[in-house]
Amino acid sequence: MGGMFFPFISTGAINSLLFGIYGNHLRQLRKVCHSDYQREQLEYKNMFWAGSVAGFVQSFIACPMELIKVRFQTHCYYNDYLYGQRRTLFGTVKRILKNDGISGLYRGLLPMMCRDVLPYGIYMLAYRQSVDYLDNTEFVRRRRNHPDGSNVSLLVTTMAGAWAGVISWVCVIPFDVVKTLMQADENHKFRGIIHCVQVNYRAYGWRSIFRGSWMLVARAIPFNAATFLGYEYALECCHQYDTYV
């Protein structure tokens, strides 16, 4: 369970940053359109680019956080259980800065950007397209007209968020594995992405860069469903506040 507190407090901040940048950039892209028709025609494209820009920006914030989490969790295991030595979160950060300087916090940034930039565009696009598809199904249309049909929006958001998470993660599992291997490599055994892949391929075969795939996909379903439920709830609260004001 070591290292749970830090990702617990950092995940919310990263998601807030991600969706905040996404929403602001999407609004800017919509303003460029000269008519409602043009905005409607470019909506999916704008969502993809807004998601990609958000993924690019947040990777610079998330990379140090994920590196600290990986190092802390790794050394919690080796130090606590194997050597009986406990390393604190502050001690982990101090050790990284002492050995590698500020640049050490950005080890694994390139594979992380490969994991986050375009895939976050796919993530946002897949969610919106899934919502639009489900909204046009006969089941959802009938439930919306039902007196108890308020829960159908919850169902649509949950299913679309889960599907978007699965689609985006399936595309990036190798990059996430390489990113984690490079960030856990405190002794700098890997010189870069290609070298990391080559070393693991020679030692364990091509399956080495897909290790933990089923766990990542399984985690993506509830995590991303909850993420979009929170996102839609926040949007609804903001809309109600603007209406009230």
Side-chain angles (χ1 to χ4, degrees), residues 133-146:
Y133 172 80
L134 292 171
D135 281 341
N136 289 323
T137 60
E138 184 65 25
F139 171 78
V140 172
R141 287 203 300 266
R142 281 192 282 107
R143 291 298 298 174
R144 288 197 187 280
N145 295 326
H146 195 272

Side-chain angles (χ1 to χ4, degrees), residues 205-225:
W206 65 269
R207 293 184 181 180
S208 63
I209 61 173
F210 291 92
R211 66 182 69 173
S213 301
W214 67 271
M215 293 181 62
L216 290 171
V217 173
R219 187 196 72 170
I221 295 174
F223 178 81
N224 290 285

Side-chain angles (χ1 to χ4, degrees), residues 143-153:
R143 291 298 298 174
R144 288 197 187 280
N145 295 326
H146 195 272
D148 298 328
S150 57
N151 291 332
V152 73
S153 296

